[in-house]
Amino acid sequence: MPGRSLLVDIGNSRIKWMLADADGNTQPESIAHGGRLPPALEKRWQSIAPPQHVLVSCVAHADIVSALETLASRLWGSDVRRLVATREHGGLVNCYDHPERLGVDRWLAMSGAHAMAEGAFCVVDAGTAMTIDVVGPGGRHQGGLIVPGLSMMIESLRAGTAMPDYAGKASPALLGCSTENAIRLGCLRALGALVDRVIADSELDSPRLLVTGGDATRVMPFIDSPCEHVPDLVFLGMRGAMQPK
């Protein structure tokens, strides 16, 4: 898909966007959405030169995409193309019986990783939920896992108990010496250990481990396996979607 494109990634809590063309990308920007298209987004987008294409990855409610389509049409007269997971793209093969049911953010992150990795790899997306996807040699998706992310784990623990909410930060220690640190360390160690267990059980030969998402840098110190931080992996996959199959 030639021309200048606005790439929009609508997650469970934030909308991220950047402009991309053959010469490169702008720096991503983001805004919290709270389940609807934020009124402040229009003001921030008014300064954008009209893109030829608007590509959207969305795991939030479809109403946000509908509102975004209206906004893009009003600002630039641009059509919006909503991306979905497919059976295959660029040599990456979806393992789902119904490929379109795979979360598009996972699919795009795997597609971005596939463009970077020469052999087997694993993608961890640490956001509102944490997803883990394993891709074997030849680009075959072997499947994945979805668990609550760091904030959701902490919030669910607090919601179901009378534990106090003390401010504090968790460092890569073995055990916490405050309630806050015990909670955060417990959740972080659980997430990190899950990633290591998946890598070990995959029986792949040194798969490349790529970590993305808003909590990536919080979770990575608790992963023992060698890993790399790739903050814009979904956008990398979206850039691939701009190209013909």
Side-chain angles (χ1 to χ4, degrees), residues 38-217:
L41 187 64
E42 180 170 357
K43 183 176 181 180
R44 295 179 69 173
W45 280 10
Q46 283 174 345
S47 61
I48 294 177
Q52 292 179 263
H53 313 282
V54 180
L55 275 64
V56 177
S57 163
C58 180
V59 297
H61 198 279
D63 287 350
I64 296 182
V65 179
S66 297
L68 190 147
E69 289 172 342
T70 300
L71 178 60
S73 177
R74 184 168 71 249
L75 288 177
W76 313 303
S78 301
D79 292 330
V80 173
R81 175 187 167 198
R82 182 171 181 176
L83 301 174
V84 296
T86 57
R87 170 62 64 193
E88 186 273 342
H89 183 84
L92 179 67
V93 182
N94 192 331
C95 79
Y96 272 35
D97 291 334
H98 300 278
E100 71 282 357
R101 295 182 183 176
L102 174 67
V104 66
D105 55 338
R106 293 169 59 195
W107 178 245
L108 290 169
M110 282 189 281
S111 180
H114 186 57
M116 295 175 59
E118 295 182 357
F121 61 88
C122 175
V123 173
V124 174
D125 191 339
T128 303
M130 190 177 84
T131 61
I132 305 172
D133 283 286
V134 176
V135 177
R140 291 199 161 271
H141 180 214
Q142 297 185 352
L145 299 175
I146 305 173
V147 297
L150 177 61
S151 295
M152 189 176 290
M153 276 191 174
I154 292 172
E155 289 167 7
S156 64
L157 181 59
R158 286 179 176 151
T161 68
M163 290 183 180
D165 182 6
Y166 296 125
K169 295 182 179 179
S171 57
L174 176 61
L175 302 170
C177 293
S178 69
T179 300
E180 174 69 16
N181 272 342
I183 292 171
R184 289 181 64 83
L185 281 169
C187 294
L188 284 164
R189 287 200 168 277
L191 293 171
L194 177 61
V195 174
D196 286 324
R197 181 62 183 266
V198 168
I199 294 294
D201 288 354
S202 72
E203 298 183 349
L204 295 172
D205 183 18
S206 300
R208 191 169 176 181
L209 176 55
L210 306 176
V211 186
T212 192
D215 283 330
T217 56

Side-chain angles (χ1 to χ4, degrees), residues 4-8 17-20 26 45 48 51-56 68 72 76 235 238 242:
R4 194 166 187 250
S5 295
L6 176 65
L7 310 182
V8 185
W17 68 92
M18 73 178 205
L19 290 163
T26 62
W45 280 10
I48 294 177
Q52 292 179 263
H53 313 282
V54 180
L55 275 64
V56 177
L68 190 147
W76 313 303
F235 282 137
M238 293 181 80
M242 293 166 57

